[in-house]
Amino acid sequence: AQSVTQLDSHVSVSEGTPVLLRCNYSSSYSPSLFWYVQHPNKGLQLLLKYTSAATLVKGINGFEAEFKKSETSFHLTKPSAHMSDAAEYFCVVHIGGATNKLIFGTGTLLAVQP
Amino acid sequence: ETGVTQSPTHLIKTRGQQVTLRCSSQSGHNTVSWYQQALGQGPQFIFQYYREEENGRGNFPPRFSGLQFPNYSSELNVNALELDDSALYLCASSLGRQGYEQYFGPGTRLTVT
């Protein structure tokens, strides 16, 4: 069965320092993977997607993620955190076939300290 | 281009009542998915509609039902509300039966007392 595991429930960084949010996936074939961001009391916004093209994926707001098949990982990074990056981040895998749906990880809450 | 909209924004219901939540899909999209997000958790898939037919269902009881209309807008109905149904309900639209790139609305916050 396909699933994603987010390794950290909370991450705290200082403004201007790098961000690393970790995600491992489980899949019997090449998955479609996503990162979504959710700001407080807001809906979900698509940050970036991997669909078996380039393994390094660039998204919005300076975020990027690298698909590593050997490590079954899809970690989200940003070189320099901004206060506005404080939010909940979800790693997501798409399941197609008879049931077309997204499976969400448990989320990582990113805090950015001034 | 109009994004995904949901109504109402907030709703308070009593246990045992019924509720209807509404979603308008993004312009050009013909698929709508519904998710339940309990406090502190990731969204859980409820079901999906493609061209007015159910196209997959998650592990939710039959008292969760839905509809999709010819204009691709959708409703989520929940009967016999329970306290555990309190959550943020998210609607997402996409293109095609296997469309994986889903765009979410702001959600409806349902509180059951």
Side-chain angles (χ1 to χ4, degrees):
Chain A
Q2 296 195 79
S3 65
V4 288
T5 302
Q6 292 185 244
L7 302 174
D8 307 291
S9 58
H10 292 83
V11 170
S12 182
V13 301
S14 298
E15 191 174 22
T17 64
V19 174
L20 170 63
L21 305 183
R22 299 182 295 165
C23 173
N24 286 349
Y25 70 89
S26 173
S27 177
S28 54
Y29 52 88
S30 185
S32 294
L33 294 163
F34 308 82
W35 278 96
Y36 280 84
V37 61
Q38 187 174 38
H39 288 92
N41 300 313
K42 301 277 186 169
L44 291 153
Q45 183 182 19
L46 178 64
L47 269 182
L48 51 78
K49 63 184 178 187
Y50 167 77
T51 56
S52 74
T55 56
L56 182 62
V57 181
K58 293 189 184 299
I60 61 171
N61 301 333
F63 285 95
E64 62 182 38
E66 186 170 8
F67 175 77
K68 291 187 176 180
K69 187 175 180 179
S70 60
E71 299 177 8
T72 61
S73 69
F74 189 58
H75 301 336
L76 181 70
T77 60
K78 182 174 181 177
S80 176
H82 191 272
M83 295 296 289
S84 61
D85 294 329
E88 183 104 35
Y89 291 79
F90 292 96
C91 182
V92 180
V93 63
H94 172 253
I95 295 181
T99 302
N100 181 36
K101 62 182 179 182
L102 299 179
I103 301 295
F104 285 75
T106 51
T108 298
L109 187 62
L110 175 65
V112 182
Q113 310 299 329
Chain B
E1 184 179 274
T2 307
V4 179
T5 60
Q6 292 185 245
S7 62
T9 306
H10 295 86
L11 204 51
I12 299 175
K13 290 287 189 177
T14 303
R15 190 172 49 185
Q17 287 187 317
Q18 178 266 343
V19 69
T20 297
L21 310 182
R22 294 178 175 83
C23 170
S24 291
S25 59
Q26 183 168 308
S27 176
H29 286 180
N30 52 16
T31 304
V32 171
S33 305
W34 286 92
Y35 294 81
Q36 180 195 66
Q37 185 178 19
L39 202 58
Q41 298 182 23
Q44 301 289 317
F45 176 74
I46 303 174
F47 45 56
Q48 181 181 86
Y49 281 84
Y50 169 68
R51 291 189 173 183
E52 303 178 61
E53 292 190 0
E54 189 175 285
N55 185 43
R57 188 179 182 92
N59 294 325
F60 281 80
R63 59 189 186 84
F64 285 78
S65 63
L67 276 175
Q68 188 180 32
F69 300 99
N71 67 353
Y72 304 129
S73 66
S74 177
E75 285 183 355
L76 164 65
N77 299 289
V78 187
N79 294 322
L81 283 167
E82 300 177 0
L83 296 179
D84 285 349
D85 295 334
S86 295
L88 180 67
Y89 288 85
L90 295 162
C91 166
S93 76
S94 54
L95 184 60
R97 181 181 288 276
Q98 294 293 317
Y100 51 73
E101 193 164 330
Q102 300 186 11
Y103 293 88
F104 286 80
T108 294
R109 173 73 63 186
L110 172 65
T111 302
V112 182
T113 62

